[in-house]
Amino acid sequence: MAIDKVILITGGSRGIGAATALLAGRSGYRVCVNYHRDQAAAEQVVTAIRDAGGSAVAVRADISSENDVLRLFEAVDKEFGALCALVNNAGILEKQSRLSDMSAARLQRVFATNVAGSFLCAREAVRRMSTRNGGAGGAIVNVSSGASKHGAPNEYIDYAASKGAIDTMTLGLAKEVAAEGIRVNAVRPGLIYTDIHASGGEPGRVDRLSAMVPMQRGGRPEEVARTILWLLSDEASYVTGALVDVTGGR
Ligand code: NAP
């Protein structure tokens, strides 16, 4: 297998990001596994990719910090060279709550990571990939959420709204850079078995709600990862500005 493409996956240490990193490693990408706090988890993903014959490195960076994002992309440039794929995956949610109980500090945290962080990473990727700047083109996949359609009442309207912003960014940026060799798409996962539900205070949330899913089950991170890798690949060469639901029909 020729390993000649470079991919950055934000939040690649756990959950959907880790599954995407592992699959990318098996699909011929050199993988930059970004993480925020859990270095051991990130190193595990890197080791698994290398053990399978791939190439990977872990880089700590808080994507809500512009300085960290600049350092992250410089690390990719230095370690691997020309970036051709970005997965804007890192995202957070906070304890389930009604909007009337949400503090300004919480809103700032959620929007700084989910919205500003994704914008900053997209900015750095476009600066490198755009043929307008002498780049070779590339592809971006934003990880939105089915919550952008449902609104997540009584749980996290802030999170759902941050993903609505990601949907809109995907539509606008796809058109902005379509003639510059860059495709921009989003996946909107539904209920996927990862740790994120514990951050919301309900680790068993997927099982509680899975009866509402037409397919009657939660999804696995690997099922989202396969869709992301397809969107990044040449198989999706005429797909841009698409919001692809990976929700079991919900
Ligand atoms: P997860 O298991 O909680 O993992 C989150 C990942 O993001 C971790 O690798 C974490 O790194 C990283 N991260 C968090 N804040 C970060 C920051 N400020 N800077 C850099 N990295 C940061 O989450 P997940 O469920 O896989 O979610 C991944 C994406 O899918 C998110 O955008 C989420 O909104 C979206 N999504 C998930 C579901 C679902 O049901 N699971 C559904 C729809 C959409 P550390 O551990 O090192 O901090």
Side-chain angles (χ1 to χ4, degrees):
M1 175 179 69
I3 307 178
D4 54 2
K5 302 170 287 186
V6 177
I7 188 170
L8 167 62
I9 299 164
T10 65
S13 53
R14 295 187 288 115
I16 292 167
T20 305
L22 293 168
L23 187 57
R26 291 201 301 272
S27 308
Y29 288 93
R30 294 173 196 273
V31 188
C32 178
V33 178
N34 157 250
Y35 67 100
H36 182 203
R37 295 199 168 92
D38 195 340
Q39 182 176 3
E43 293 296 351
Q44 260 182 22
V45 173
V46 166
T47 302
I49 292 171
R50 288 182 184 157
D51 286 351
S55 173
V57 65
V59 179
R60 198 207 75 78
D62 173 358
I63 59 150
S64 70
S65 150
E66 184 173 24
N67 281 340
D68 275 21
V69 169
L70 292 174
R71 203 177 35 76
L72 171 63
F73 278 79
E74 280 161 16
V76 176
D77 295 340
K78 201 165 144 226
E79 196 76 33
F80 287 147
L83 183 75
C84 72
L86 166 68
V87 184
N88 249 333
N89 166 77
I92 58 167
L93 50 72
E94 302 217 356
K95 291 277 174 285
Q96 293 174 358
S97 156
R98 287 170 58 85
L99 185 149
S100 49
D101 295 323
M102 288 177 188
S103 67
R106 166 185 171 137
L107 296 176
Q108 268 162 11
R109 285 192 297 271
V110 169
F111 284 94
T113 299
N114 296 3
V115 182
S118 297
F119 268 70
L120 291 170
C121 291
R123 182 189 77 189
E124 292 307 307
V126 167
R127 284 179 176 172
R128 286 161 174 78
M129 293 172 181
S130 173
T131 53
R132 201 170 131 150
N133 305 333
I140 297 173
V141 172
N142 295 320
V143 182
S144 173
S145 170
S148 73
K149 298 181 297 177
H150 304 303
N154 301 306
E155 293 190 322
Y156 16 73
I157 296 176
D158 53 346
Y159 168 83
S162 75
K163 296 302 188 176
I166 292 305
D167 289 355
T168 305
M169 185 263 265
T170 303
L171 299 175
L173 185 61
K175 291 172 184 153
E176 193 165 290
V177 298
E180 299 170 25
I182 306 174
R183 294 183 300 103
V184 185
N185 294 289
V187 290
R188 294 196 292 202
L191 293 161
I192 311 296
Y193 288 100
T194 73
D195 298 341
I196 204 168
H197 306 285
S199 333
E202 190 186 358
R205 180 170 175 269
V206 176
D207 286 333
R208 174 174 64 85
L209 295 173
S210 55
M212 291 169 58
V213 178
M215 286 179 71
Q216 299 285 294
R217 66 171 179 85
R220 297 186 306 280
E222 294 74 20
E223 294 180 290
V224 184
R226 283 198 292 271
T227 310
I228 293 172
L229 264 294
W230 174 74
L231 283 169
L232 293 173
S233 76
D234 287 342
E235 299 294 310
S237 55
Y238 201 51
V239 181
T240 199
L243 310 176
V244 180
D245 292 347
V246 190
T247 58
R250 183 159 176 258

